[in-house]
Amino acid sequence: MATGGILIKGGKVVNEDCSTFSDVYIENGKIAEVGPDLQVPAGARVIDATGKLVIPGGIDTHTHMELAFMGTKAVDDFHIGTKAALAGGTTTILDFVIPQKGKSLLEAYERWRNTADPKVCCDYSLHVAVTWWSEQVGREMETLAKEKGVNSFKMFMAYKDVFMLADAELLAAFSRCREIGAIAQVHAENGDLIAEGAKKMLSMGITGPEGHELCRPEEVEAEATQRAVTIAHSVNCPLYVVHVMSKSAAKVVAAARRGGRVVFGEPIAAGLGTDGTHYWHKDWAHAAGFVMGPPLRPDPSTPGYLMDLLANDDLSVTGTDNCTFSVCQKALGKDDFTKIPNGVNGVEDRMSVIWEKGVHSGKMDENRFVAVTSSNAAKIFNFYPQKGRIAKGSDADVVVWDPRSTRTISARTHHQAVDYNIFEGMQCHGVPVLTVSRGAVAYERGLLSATPGHGRFIHRKPFSQFVYKRIEQREQVGKPSAVVREPYTGQVVSV
Ligand code: URP
Ligand code: ZN
Ligand code: ZN
Ligand code: ZN
């Protein structure tokens, strides 16, 4: 990848708060200047962006590259997955370290760094999952926050006996997040109800992918979401609900935000771009391809509803939960839906799907698009304006975006390793024509020049001010205090 000076000329620079017609000059991996008619050193490469938008590279808040899960391993590894991300206009991914119960968080983190560092073609950072609770876990969370660049921890309320935490453990983990200045993330589904529901479906002879949704209806997600909101609030901990998949759960997040809670909701490309009617498809492989947790919802108005809430700030950011298993891997569950590895694609198509369903549809403008695909994530997870903004001094992660071009999503042309695509056949307005990662052109008009190891790990400090200003102020002014009274001097009943 060439890393000399690059001038992106004549485009409309779009940030989350405004758009301006400006040139952008990139040098040494950073944005060196933004302004009209920039004069730049001779020899700089000039890219004509007339008629195009120049936007901050996308930040995918939720991926699982090469995750070992449900007896197999996700096929998109950090190399292929980040290459595909760049082809779609995403320049940073936030992946998850998921230690087994009883295992060290720090060791799992180091292992994941060693796996990802040599392979990533774009920048990345890591959330760490808390899958069990002990004093050691609490100590390791602090080390991760203070020394290892991790300020977000995911707790599972589902996957009983595998990753799930009980309420008392959630409380301990949320409380620890608050102490160390981290953001508590939850996979919000009631794991006990899912386990019972799955048994019931199987006993009724429902073994296909439709059973996956039927055993965990919307209220199972909404109940857990409300429980997480309540537990987080009890210890004044900021909460981030990953993969909000249903109207019911989204309403809980919206109500919590309107009630003043520091809560963020993350819909994903799958939930915004498609729906759970596919689970009833007659072709088993087709139906199984959509299996993920929480499931897509069969109510076909769900994606549009989630997009409305994303547009009006009830929901805040977008990820993908990219966790891809090819058809032969999904077939581990051919006779029992509980054995279908959970996960779908999205890392390559998220930006186009959100443009199509969000901006082209008229639900949000180009600035809100940048907020929900990039800037808000950088603010919440504390690496703004290093990323998420086109400004002097920011990392040169920049996308030239053509709002008028269209492309049709297909597994035949995508860059991911997985052998199908849940958005197959979707025509999207909004196409990335060129992606710059860390100051180098990594993707241009269908051609990838990304190299493994080009990306860097992004350290994120705790106490993100975007999240914690309100939390800290509430701590100060909201402390309960005892009423000062004269001592009671009357009679006390003898017992
Ligand atoms: O189906 C999913 N979501 N697979 C990945 C694991 C998770 O819960 O995020
Ligand atoms: Zn999850
Ligand atoms: Zn279908
Ligand atoms: Zn996930």
Side-chain angles (χ1 to χ4, degrees):
M1 281 193 267
T3 51
I6 300 172
L7 177 67
I8 302 176
K9 213 174 164 38
K12 191 201 274 190
V13 171
V14 181
N15 279 315
E16 82 279 21
D17 52 353
C18 63
S19 306
T20 52
F21 285 94
S22 297
D23 298 344
V24 178
Y25 183 57
I26 290 165
E27 209 174 45
N28 300 322
K30 297 278 179 193
I31 296 173
E33 208 62 63
V34 181
D37 300 320
L38 292 181
Q39 300 303 307
V40 299
R45 181 178 168 195
V46 179
I47 292 162
D48 180 13
T50 310
K52 313 280 191 306
L53 308 181
V54 181
I55 61 174
I59 298 171
D60 185 337
T61 52
H62 190 151
T63 70
H64 300 281
M65 299 307 170
E66 56 189 282
L67 176 69
F69 190 45
M70 297 183 73
T72 185
K73 193 174 177 179
V75 283
D76 284 319
D77 67 3
F78 279 102
H79 174 211
I80 296 173
T82 53
K83 230 165 60 171
L86 289 163
T90 287
T91 52
T92 305
I93 61 163
L94 302 183
D95 205 85
F96 287 83
V97 178
I98 309 187
Q100 288 175 354
K101 273 192 192 289
K103 294 285 162 64
S104 160
L105 276 58
L106 277 169
E107 281 172 29
Y109 165 90
E110 295 299 348
R111 213 174 312 117
W112 220 228
R113 287 289 311 272
N114 291 336
T115 304
D117 279 1
K119 291 188 188 173
V120 282
C121 300
C122 69
D123 286 356
Y124 81 108
S125 195
L126 292 172
H127 312 292
V128 174
V130 174
T131 54
W132 61 294
W133 185 252
S134 73
E135 280 183 18
Q136 180 199 329
V137 171
R139 278 195 303 275
E140 292 196 341
M141 286 171 73
E142 183 168 29
T143 307
L144 285 161
K146 283 193 171 150
E147 299 170 23
K148 302 291 181 181
V150 174
N151 66 20
S152 42
F153 294 89
K154 177 175 177 181
M155 278 60 79
F156 290 90
M157 301 170 82
Y159 304 121
K160 192 173 177 181
D161 302 327
V162 183
F163 299 140
M164 184 172 127
L165 295 186
D167 286 0
E169 295 171 315
L170 284 176
L171 180 64
F174 288 6
S175 181
R176 191 63 173 148
C177 282
R178 167 65 192 94
E179 285 162 8
I180 63 177
I183 293 133
Q185 301 174 291
V186 277
H187 174 133
E189 285 186 291
N190 186 319
D192 287 313
L193 290 185
I194 293 169
E196 287 309 307
K199 276 189 231 162
K200 190 171 154 200
M201 289 305 139
L202 292 172
S203 75
M204 291 164 74
I206 300 172
T207 59
E210 68 281 12
H212 176 74
E213 206 282 335
L214 290 169
C215 78
R216 53 216 295 168
E218 292 203 11
E219 62 190 7
V220 169
E221 187 187 354
E223 180 277 329
T225 307
Q226 181 58 60
R227 189 153 35 99
V229 167
T230 307
I231 297 172
H233 182 64
S234 76
V235 288
N236 196 23
C237 175
L239 183 71
Y240 179 103
V241 184
V242 304
H243 46 45
V244 176
M245 299 299 287
S246 63
K247 287 185 179 180
S248 315
K251 282 177 192 165
V252 172
V253 172
R257 284 173 70 79
R258 287 167 189 210
R261 305 283 157 92
V262 183
V263 176
F264 304 95
E266 171 207 77
I268 62 169
L272 294 163
T274 185
D275 63 47
T277 54
H278 296 277
Y279 297 134
W280 278 263
H281 198 282
K282 292 278 188 195
D283 174 3
W284 185 89
H286 178 99
F290 293 79
V291 168
M292 65 158 300
L296 293 155
R297 300 302 175 182
D299 172 353
S301 64
T302 306
Y305 185 86
L306 295 175
M307 188 61 85
D308 287 334
L309 268 57
L310 184 63
N312 74 13
D313 206 33
D314 281 328
L315 299 171
S316 305
V317 285
T318 56
T320 58
D321 206 357
N322 193 91
C323 184
T324 47
F325 301 101
S326 284
V327 172
C328 64
Q329 295 172 293
K330 291 274 181 184
L332 287 168
K334 68 185 174 52
D335 302 316
D336 175 350
F337 67 83
T338 67
K339 296 192 170 64
I340 301 171
N342 284 203
V344 294
N345 63 286
V347 74
E348 181 165 352
D349 300 318
R350 179 182 64 116
M351 302 283 279
S352 286
V353 167
I354 295 169
W355 186 275
E356 175 67 21
K357 304 283 183 185
V359 185
H360 185 70
S361 69
K363 293 190 178 206
M364 61 174 74
D365 62 18
E366 64 203 18
N367 307 99
R368 182 67 190 164
F369 174 76
V370 166
V372 300
T373 56
S374 182
S375 320
N376 285 358
K379 289 175 184 173
I380 293 169
F381 295 114
N382 214 11
F383 55 114
Y384 181 88
Q386 179 188 353
K387 297 197 186 289
R389 190 160 185 88
I390 304 284
K392 184 174 177 170
S394 292
D395 285 357
D397 287 354
V398 179
V399 174
V400 178
W401 186 263
D402 188 345
R404 272 172 287 274
S405 277
T406 58
R407 72 183 184 97
T408 302
I409 299 176
S410 175
R412 284 187 298 281
T413 47
H414 73 200
H415 299 85
Q416 301 198 226
V418 64
D419 57 4
Y420 70 95
N421 191 311
I422 57 166
F423 306 113
E424 186 71 38
M426 185 189 293
Q427 217 210 26
C428 292
H429 296 79
V431 173
V433 284
L434 180 133
T435 307
V436 176
S437 159
R438 305 184 63 79
V441 174
Y443 172 80
E444 189 170 5
R445 295 188 188 280
L447 291 178
L448 275 159
S449 47
T451 48
H454 170 76
R456 293 279 179 278
F457 178 76
I458 303 299
H459 276 260
R460 298 177 293 114
K461 292 202 173 87
F463 294 104
S464 161
Q465 285 303 285
F466 184 73
V467 174
Y468 264 89
K469 265 189 204 160
R470 286 182 289 162
I471 293 280
E472 282 165 349
Q473 182 65 11
R474 279 167 204 198
E475 202 106 310
Q476 293 304 315
V477 300
K479 272 197 189 110
S481 54
V483 176
V484 180
R485 300 185 178 90
E486 292 301 315
Y488 174 77
T489 52
Q491 275 190 330
V492 179
V493 69
S494 32
V495 285

